[in-house]
């Protein structure tokens, strides 16, 4: 008997797998590499919505769980993928400076925002009004994590690299048969691939395509993440990730000339030095219109569960959501109402 069959080995699937294994559960993971959004993600974690200077939903709780959780995985796998690095929000005017000071005085933001304006010390960056610094930030090399975790799963015979076939599911009173597996629960952590899932495709998972560049510049010499209309993230060896675009109509993973041009235009508003483009990526983020994830149990089949809709903040959300779902299944601990898919079922009068 397998406790959990997990469909998808992106950041959501990894986090659920790890919680389950840490509690002594038996798992098997299915992965067919059709959804690359985890591998190409910028990987930033940041507790503040820097467009509006407001707190990310449950940011403190997410970070308190995520950072030690990722440290444990680093130790377990013997790799480094979590890099602590400040975010400097470029301030565009005196008005934005004043808005920054007002935000930094708010109780829920005071631990995340510096009360000082940092003068520009980067000759390659255009910022006459300086920067606001965000604390408790960094980035995950998500591709490194995903690749290393797959190696771990393979070494322990816990992964099947094949397409999951929904038609092979056979339901019994307290378990499921799938091929040769007798399973207590299936966790669907498929990202945008959820649209092909006949059990959960009525959920309002939208897709927001994002594109990013990797550039190389010996002259940029920036050692923090610069956040303006794009982010500029140093990843070593004079290389920087630059992102990201938001396209709500294109649901393909192919990078586009339009996306490339948009990123170049916004980048060149921020920097004034030479650079070359090394790579250009595209992928569809699993987003939801109400900006809350999709977590919970199918309205008819009690042993089918979904873990999806992590959107642009998957690095922070994934451990928090995976832990909530695991605790819900194992202990009956209620899910947060804002993430529970019951909110969708109720609107559709399904339950």
């Amino acid at each position: 008997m397998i406790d959990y069959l997990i469909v998808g080995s992106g950041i959501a699937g990894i986090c659920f797998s790890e919680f389950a294994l840490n509690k002594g559960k038996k798992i098997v993971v299915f992965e067919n590499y059709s959804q690359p959004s985890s591998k190409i993600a910028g990987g930033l974690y940041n507790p503040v919505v820097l467009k509006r200077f407001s707190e990310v939903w449950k940011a403190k709780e997410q970070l308190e769980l995520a950072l030690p959780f990722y440290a444990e995985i680093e130790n377990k796998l013997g790799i480094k993928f979590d890099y602590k690095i400040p975010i400097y929000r470029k301030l565009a005017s005196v008005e934005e400076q004043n808005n920054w000071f007002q935000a930094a005085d708010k109780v829920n933001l005071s631990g995340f925002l510096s009360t000082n304006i940092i003068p520009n010390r980067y000759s390659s960056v255009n910022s006459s009004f300086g920067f606001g610094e965000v604390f408790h930030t960094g980035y995950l090399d998500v591709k490194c994590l995903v690749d290393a975790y797959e190696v771990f799963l393979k070494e322990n015979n816990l992964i099947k690299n094949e397409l999951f076939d929904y038609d092979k599911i056979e339901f019994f009173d307290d378990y499921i048969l799938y091929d040769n597996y007798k399973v207590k629960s299936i966790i669907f952590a498929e990202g945008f691939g959820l649209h092909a899932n006949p059990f959960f495709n009525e959920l309002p998972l939208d897709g927001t395509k994002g594109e990013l560049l990797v550039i190389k510049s010996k002259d940029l010499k920036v050692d923090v993440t610069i956040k303006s209309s794009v982010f500029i993230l140093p990843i070593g060896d004079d290389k920087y990730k630059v992102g990201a675009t938001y396209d709500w109509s294109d649901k393909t993973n192919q990078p586009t000339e339009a996306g490339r041009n948009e990123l170049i235009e916004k980048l060149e508003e921020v920097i004034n030095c030479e650079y070359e483009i090394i790579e250009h990526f595209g992928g569809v983020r699993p987003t939801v219109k109400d900006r809350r994830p999709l977590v919970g149990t199918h309205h008819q089949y009690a042993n089918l569960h979904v873990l999806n809709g992590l959107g642009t903040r998957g690095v922070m959300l994934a451990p928090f959501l995976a832990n909530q779902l695991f605790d819900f299944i194992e202990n009956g601990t209620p899910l947060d109402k804002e993430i529970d898919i019951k909110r969708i079922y109720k609107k559709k009068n399904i339950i």
Side-chain angles (χ1 to χ4, degrees), residues 200-231:
F200 290 106
N201 60 9
E202 80 274 18
L203 296 178
L205 185 74
D206 200 5
T208 309
K209 182 173 182 173
E211 299 184 47
L212 61 82
L213 304 175
V214 177
I215 66 169
K216 185 162 187 173
S217 173
K218 291 184 178 180
D219 301 323
L220 187 49
K221 299 188 185 309
V222 167
D223 57 358
V224 299
T225 298
I226 302 290
K227 180 68 177 77
S228 183
S229 55
V230 290
F231 67 78

Side-chain angles (χ1 to χ4, degrees), residues 251-309:
K251 309 301 184 185
T252 71
N253 294 316
Q254 298 304 312
T256 65
E257 193 67 23
R260 177 188 177 100
N261 291 338
E262 179 185 337
L263 291 170
I264 290 172
E265 181 180 346
K266 289 180 177 178
L267 172 65
E268 292 182 355
E269 290 173 357
V270 182
I271 69 172
N272 54 47
C273 61
E274 296 293 319
Y275 65 91
E276 60 175 317
I277 296 173
I278 304 297
E279 294 177 283
H280 179 195
F281 298 109
V284 180
R285 311 174 186 92
T287 55
V288 186
K289 286 180 180 173
D290 69 2
R291 297 178 180 270
R292 291 291 177 264
L294 300 169
V295 182
T297 299
H298 192 270
H299 60 88
Q300 181 179 353
Y301 301 109
N303 37 19
L304 297 185
H305 313 276
V306 66
L307 178 58
N308 211 312

